[in-house]
Amino acid sequence: MALKNFRPLTPSLRFKSLPAFEEITKWQPAKSLIEPKKKTGGRNNFGRLTSRHIGGGHKQKYRKVDFRRGKHDVTAEVVGIEYDPNRSARIALIKYADGELSYILAPNGLQVGSIVAAGDSVAPDLGNALPLRAIPLGTNIHNIELSPGSGGKIARSAGQQATLNNLEGGYALVKMPSGEIRRIHENCFATIGQVGNVDHMNVASGKAGRTRWRGRRPHVRGMAMNPIDHPMGGGQGKSKGGGGRNHPVSPWGQLSKGFKTRTKHKPSDRFILERPRSKKKS
């Protein structure tokens, strides 16, 4: 995927860097694989605000992506690569030999006309889905299940990939995109390759309006508020935490930096062999 830059004729064009969409081959989604997507505006069923900074945005239709790859030992041809407004990755429309259409995440390098399949005995080629026990060690994978048959949960966003490190005792040791090494049952399915749209992390919208189109409303800094509105508000000038030297906190007083939010003694801790890599201290 390539990015396109613009001549700085206006302030919004000066730093704008947008996807070129060169990999997109099909612009209209399959009608049988879309459904309406209702927006909440950040409100719950009582109409009360539960998620801040949400509202507006362009209308979207949800694409039914097949994360389970449950149709085994049936080949499918890639009909087109499409844009999906609901995720950072691109999706591929595939057509099975029996005529059924389906969407899958488009791995990097997948082309129109390629043949993909899922099953225990398929080849470990790009876009194919196999159980972890059938994948060669050192292979880059994505869309990984956490329990057999549950559908892919890990490494689904643009540019993400995990690595199969080892197989032992009925479990596979998978190195996650975060650097964490985790034990996953060998019967869990994963897809070969890296998720496409690798340059998504380098996209710069260039203006606030593009953020509003995505349904994100403005975020106001706590330091810019009054003391009644935020623990970090108030003070003379640009003071740190209301005139003192308080650590940054949320509107409800929870520490914003470095505070561990993961539940202690979580049942899944026994599957984690190595924690994510920590930031290097300068």
Side-chain angles (χ1 to χ4, degrees):
M1 170 203 163
L3 297 178
K4 60 180 179 180
N5 298 314
F6 300 83
R7 294 172 59 198
L9 301 179
T10 64
S12 66
L13 291 176
R14 184 170 298 277
F15 301 108
K16 182 180 289 188
S17 180
L18 300 181
F21 298 108
E22 294 174 348
E23 70 278 13
I24 303 297
T25 64
K26 187 173 177 297
W27 292 97
Q28 293 295 330
K31 289 186 177 181
S32 61
L33 297 175
I34 60 175
E35 62 184 21
K37 182 182 176 183
K38 184 179 179 181
K39 299 197 177 216
T40 64
R43 272 77 175 172
N44 61 9
N45 58 326
F46 294 108
R48 294 168 185 161
L49 191 67
T50 55
S51 297
R52 300 179 301 155
H53 317 306
I54 294 176
H58 201 284
K59 286 186 177 181
Q60 298 168 338
K61 293 288 183 66
Y62 180 74
R63 277 72 168 169
K64 302 175 185 176
V65 179
D66 180 17
F67 295 113
R68 289 188 65 247
R69 300 293 294 271
K71 203 174 179 73
H72 291 178
D73 302 322
V74 181
T75 59
E77 180 184 0
V78 178
V79 177
I81 307 296
E82 298 184 18
Y83 168 79
D84 188 348
N86 305 291
R87 64 192 73 254
S88 57
R90 304 289 182 244
I91 56 176
L93 180 66
I94 60 175
K95 186 175 183 179
Y96 288 99
D98 57 5
E100 182 181 348
L101 294 175
S102 180
Y103 278 130
I104 63 170
L105 296 179
N108 191 30
L110 191 71
Q111 303 291 332
V112 174
S114 300
I115 302 299
V116 296
D120 294 357
S121 58
V122 301
D125 296 332
L126 183 68
N128 287 356
L130 299 84
L132 291 172
R133 55 182 161 75
I135 299 176
L137 299 182
T139 303
N140 292 329
I141 53 179
H142 67 276
N143 191 37
I144 310 163
E145 293 181 335
L146 280 177
S147 58
S150 64
K153 300 290 191 302
I154 298 172
R156 303 195 319 191
S157 59
Q160 294 289 293
Q161 62 179 355
T163 305
L164 179 61
N165 283 352
N166 201 359
L167 290 168
E168 59 180 31
Y171 286 88
L173 304 187
V174 179
K175 186 174 183 180
M176 302 294 184
S178 64
E180 175 181 296
I181 297 180
R182 186 185 180 102
R183 297 167 68 226
I184 301 176
H185 199 278
E186 63 179 9
N187 290 333
C188 291
F189 268 65
T191 307
I192 306 296
Q194 178 185 16
V195 184
N197 196 17
V198 179
D199 284 332
H200 173 75
M201 62 181 293
N202 299 318
V203 170
S205 64
K207 61 181 182 180
R210 285 184 59 85
T211 305
R212 299 303 298 268
W213 298 341
R214 296 177 60 189
R216 296 180 60 185
R217 299 189 64 242
H219 296 212
V220 179
R221 294 174 298 119
M223 287 178 58
M225 299 182 187
N226 293 319
I228 196 173
D229 299 317
H230 200 280
M232 294 162 55
Q236 299 298 317
K238 293 187 176 180
S239 63
K240 298 291 185 181
R245 285 289 173 178
N246 303 331
H247 289 289
V249 293
S250 72
W252 302 276
Q254 187 180 77
L255 290 175
S256 301
K257 297 182 177 180
F259 183 69
K260 299 289 190 287
T261 57
R262 181 180 171 88
T263 304
K264 291 184 179 180
H265 311 298
K266 203 168 185 178
S268 61
D269 284 348
R270 67 183 188 275
F271 297 115
I272 300 174
L273 298 186
E274 186 176 318
R275 293 290 178 179
R277 54 181 176 267
S278 59
K279 295 181 179 179
K280 294 181 179 180
K281 296 182 180 179
S282 57

